[in-house]
Amino acid sequence: MPDGQLPDRAGYHRYPDEQRDAVYRVIAERRDVRQGFLAEPVPDEVLRRVLEAAHQAPSVGFSQPWDFIVITDRERRERIAALARGHRDEFAADLPGARARAFDRLKIESILDTPVNIAVTCDPTRGGRHTLGRHVQPQTAAFSSVLAVANLWLAARAEGLGVGWVSFFGERELAAELGLPAHLEVIAYLCLGYVAEFAPEPELATAGWARRRPLSWAVHAGEFGRRGLPGEESVDPLADVIAAIAALGLPDEAAMAAAAERQDRMIKPRGSLGVLEKVSVRLAGLAGSCPPPLPEPACVAIFAGDHGVHAQGVTPWPQEVTAQMVANFVAGGAVVNAFAAQAGAEVTVVDVGVASALDPAPGLLPRKIAPGTADFTEGAAMTREQAVAALTVGLEIARDLVAAGNRCLITGDMGIANTTASAALVCAFTGADPAEATGRGTGIDAATFARKVDVVCRGLALHRPVVSDPVGDPVGDPVGVLAAFGGFEHAAMAGFILGAAALRVPVILDGVIAGAAALAAAALAHDVTAACFAGHRSVEPGHSIALSHLGLSPLVDLGLRLGEGTGALLALPLLASAARALRDVATFDSAGVTEKP
Ligand SMILES: Cc1cc2nc3c(=O)[nH]c(=O)nc-3n(C[C@H](O)[C@H](O)[C@H](O)COP(=O)(O)O)c2cc1C
């Protein structure tokens, strides 16, 4: 119901407009502050008011588990700052190249730049055994102390005091420095002081480290996944992303023209950067600006899944290898990890459908739709619902990686037997002959190859896909085709490509699996190709067929047939160089150099 129509009773306790606005204002203008602190001390009465606000926070069973340790002593703060420095260095050493450079420019604490620090603690035993609510969820004790922090943070903003939260501590190390009894834990370490100004946006957003997620991504109606703001139609993320891509009108012709024109004025013979000039023009067309943003930091997402068609003997590799390779990616021991380290990219592994259960690990996103697909020679590989779920997983991962600050996404894959599913998808989407689109994958003998072609033929005969023309108007039923033949990794990757395009972020495609996924994405939203860059040409024949249908030219052609994202990673420096040249190279007019007549 619109505000103005509230019945009297419902709005009775509402604050007068000005006071209500002040509440929303302090919420919007609260900032985590790390720089620009003034030397002025914080008067005790101000500090008391802020602590009083913290002390009024809600708490589980009214247990009020917090204590506040107010630290002004310089020597103690120096010891605490040294603890934080150690963890900062450790974190920095673990970052991929582009992230490490960005992190170098960030300030993560102001322990010594502020006149007062406050540690907020939690006593999870306070109130005894029958604390209402905490008996089922012990973690609610810590949640309560966090609410005290939130109150303190807001009150401080209203007082004109900046607050910065530092979490670069081993909790026990800090507890020892603060003399905490063993049963208390440190919840937050806050640095407070007056500031020259409050930034309008989070500093991490201004620095390009991370972006704000729109509210509509976070609100679900009734159950997880039914997104939609109150009063608005519930949003279908896939339909939404397809509509968003169409609305962008990609590529932006004006930005492309500006980029092409700038290439001609750059201090070099016209056209001398060859294909890279076209890449820079395409990047500008995607971003809608000239010069376009540099495609860094970059992240490769390796989508992993198993395939029912493995049962048909299309590969000599046992299915367990998918899970074993996932463990290897997470441990950092695969070729993709080496190439990512070299290119300065992050590696994320996504379990969308590995047959076995995987142990949780940092860098592994658990998004399993099912433990492997069904055999497409016997029925559909996935249900339609599973295909949509996998597409949605992929587009949400793209959004999350972009919100986390990435400006280039790279496709990777792992799934024993996935070249068979890829060949079937390529045939379904392009009408190619299975004998031409099917390849030898990891390396198979003539008998296995013949069987693989036959498997693809049988699948096509069974499902009779409506052939789509991905570069013309989308026709047929792309989700149905994905469901018939695809792996979960194909569907998730198609969603990933769509998600990136909707956010105008480039996606570097790896080999045949990515090519097949891109055909599906293009059949769903044909402008998506404006966001796609073909990293390399795989030796899998289906890959070249896919690329020519998509109208994409591979950036490198090195005879690779590994997958994982390896070929795409090799192209990352090419994309980055193309964008950087367009941005940094002087023009004849600016440099005062005479042009060739
Ligand atoms: C639990 C928590 C821990 C945080 N730890 C740090 C930290 O160690 N260093 C830092 O610079 N900022 C830290 N922050 C601040 C966040 O980076 C900041 O809140 C976020 O970027 C959003 O910006 P805003 O608070 O200005 O809206 C932390 C924030 C929270 C809530």
Side-chain angles (χ1 to χ4, degrees):
M1 188 182 307
D3 238 17
Q5 290 170 23
L6 274 180
D8 277 356
R9 235 156 31 112
Y12 188 74
H13 297 290
R14 190 161 62 175
Y15 288 179
D17 286 354
E18 212 172 291
Q19 292 174 15
R20 199 169 49 133
D21 291 349
V23 172
Y24 286 117
R25 176 175 169 207
V26 77
I27 291 168
E29 295 184 2
R30 180 210 52 78
R31 283 276 77 76
D32 183 272
V33 186
R34 290 152 234 164
Q35 35 210 347
F37 282 101
L38 307 174
E40 270 78 356
V42 182
D44 289 338
E45 67 269 23
V46 176
L47 217 44
R48 275 200 298 271
R49 278 202 296 273
V50 168
L51 288 166
E52 187 60 45
H55 194 54
Q56 288 176 59
S59 58
V60 62
F62 203 26
S63 58
Q64 304 158 79
W66 48 72
D67 285 276
F68 306 103
I69 301 172
V70 181
I71 307 138
T72 50
D73 176 59
R74 173 97 196 170
E75 279 179 19
R76 188 183 296 277
R77 283 189 292 134
E78 273 170 3
R79 288 196 298 275
I80 293 173
L83 293 179
R85 238 183 338 268
H87 287 285
R88 187 199 154 106
D89 293 348
E90 225 173 81
F91 180 69
D94 208 31
L95 288 171
R99 278 284 182 191
R101 287 193 294 280
F103 185 65
D104 245 10
R105 298 188 289 268
L106 290 178
K107 195 161 181 314
I108 54 106
E109 54 87 5
S110 345
I111 297 167
L112 296 171
D113 314 337
T114 48
V116 55
N117 296 177
I118 297 178
V120 181
T121 64
C122 174
D123 177 351
T125 66
R126 192 168 292 161
R129 177 168 183 179
H130 300 295
T131 297
L132 193 146
R134 197 184 62 201
H135 63 298
V136 205
Q137 295 199 26
Q139 69 275 33
T140 49
F143 297 168
S144 306
S145 290
V146 173
L147 288 164
V149 175
N151 272 13
L152 185 153
W153 215 335
L154 293 168
R157 176 64 190 86
E159 296 282 359
L161 277 175
V163 176
W165 182 327
V166 193
S167 43
F168 280 70
F169 295 112
E171 191 273 334
R172 286 294 91 187
E173 266 175 357
L174 184 57
E177 175 58 46
L178 298 172
L180 292 195
H183 66 288
L184 257 65
E185 49 183 315
V186 186
I187 295 296
Y189 192 89
L190 308 171
C191 309
L192 278 76
Y194 290 105
V195 288
E197 60 175 352
F198 284 92
E201 283 297 321
E203 286 184 28
L204 292 187
T206 315
W209 184 265
R211 292 191 196 180
R212 196 180 283 287
R213 292 166 60 85
L215 178 63
S216 58
W217 295 4
V219 182
H220 309 246
E223 61 181 40
F224 187 87
R226 296 222 332 244
R227 287 166 209 269
L229 293 176
E232 289 179 7
E233 291 272 298
S234 112
V235 175
D236 165 358
L238 182 60
D240 197 32
V241 105
I242 291 169
I245 293 169
L248 287 174
L250 295 174
D252 182 320
E253 301 287 346
M256 288 178 84
E261 192 256 350
R262 185 173 166 83
Q263 281 288 357
D264 286 348
R265 284 191 294 118
M266 277 158 55
I267 192 153
K268 62 174 180 55
R270 277 186 184 199
S272 56
L273 290 181
V275 171
L276 293 192
E277 295 199 9
K278 295 195 182 88
V279 169
S280 77
V281 169
R282 292 192 63 219
L283 285 169
L286 171 64
S289 62
C290 175
L294 296 182
E296 61 176 37
C299 182
V300 52
I302 308 173
F303 293 93
D306 277 307
H307 297 261
V309 76
H310 181 271
Q312 295 293 326
V314 288
T315 164
W317 295 86
Q319 196 163 55
E320 302 85 77
V321 172
T322 305
Q324 289 161 359
M325 282 308 295
V326 165
N328 197 16
F329 299 144
V330 171
V335 180
V336 67
N337 302 99
F339 284 10
Q342 182 59 36
E346 185 181 332
V347 177
T348 290
V349 188
V350 189
D351 172 11
V352 256
V354 178
S356 53
L358 302 179
D359 292 334
L364 173 63
L365 305 182
R367 303 286 190 276
K368 204 192 293 286
I369 311 281
T373 55
D375 180 349
F376 71 67
T377 62
E378 293 177 352
M382 324 173 208
T383 65
R384 206 178 168 82
E385 291 69 32
Q386 288 177 326
V388 171
L391 277 155
T392 309
V393 159
L395 75 88
E396 287 184 349
I397 285 170
R399 283 175 172 181
D400 286 348
L401 290 176
V402 172
N406 291 293
R407 295 214 178 109
C408 181
L409 300 183
I410 298 170
T411 69
D413 70 275
M414 183 63 220
I416 296 298
N418 68 5
T419 57
T420 305
S422 299
L425 286 169
V426 169
C427 293
F429 281 117
T430 67
D433 178 346
E436 281 167 23
T438 307
R440 287 172 184 271
T442 46
I444 50 178
D445 58 23
T448 312
F449 178 68
R451 193 159 51 240
K452 192 168 169 182
V453 174
D454 177 58
V455 160
V456 174
C457 290
R458 282 193 281 133
L460 291 166
L462 176 68
H463 300 291
R464 300 179 168 281
V466 178
V467 174
S468 306
D469 176 5
V471 285
D473 283 334
V475 290
D477 176 17
V479 175
V481 174
L482 264 177
F485 305 102
F488 291 118
E489 72 270 43
H490 292 97
M493 204 184 279
F496 182 71
I497 296 166
L498 292 167
L503 295 170
R504 312 187 89 138
V505 169
V507 198
I508 310 183
L509 304 177
D510 195 42
V512 69
I513 286 80
L519 286 169
L524 286 161
H526 67 78
D527 292 350
V528 83
T529 50
C532 295
F533 293 80
H536 81 128
R537 182 191 300 283
S538 148
V539 296
E540 279 290 298
H543 188 221
S544 292
I545 298 172
L547 290 184
S548 67
H549 271 256
L550 292 162
L552 299 173
S553 315
L555 286 166
V556 299
D557 189 351
L558 300 172
L560 304 189
R561 53 177 174 81
L562 173 61
E564 303 180 1
T566 47
L569 276 163
L570 292 176
L572 175 61
L574 303 181
L575 234 70
S577 303
R580 191 178 282 277
L582 191 60
R583 194 190 70 172
D584 290 358
V585 173
T587 53
F588 282 105
D589 33 331
S590 70
V593 174
T594 312
E595 261 184 276
K596 190 172 118 232

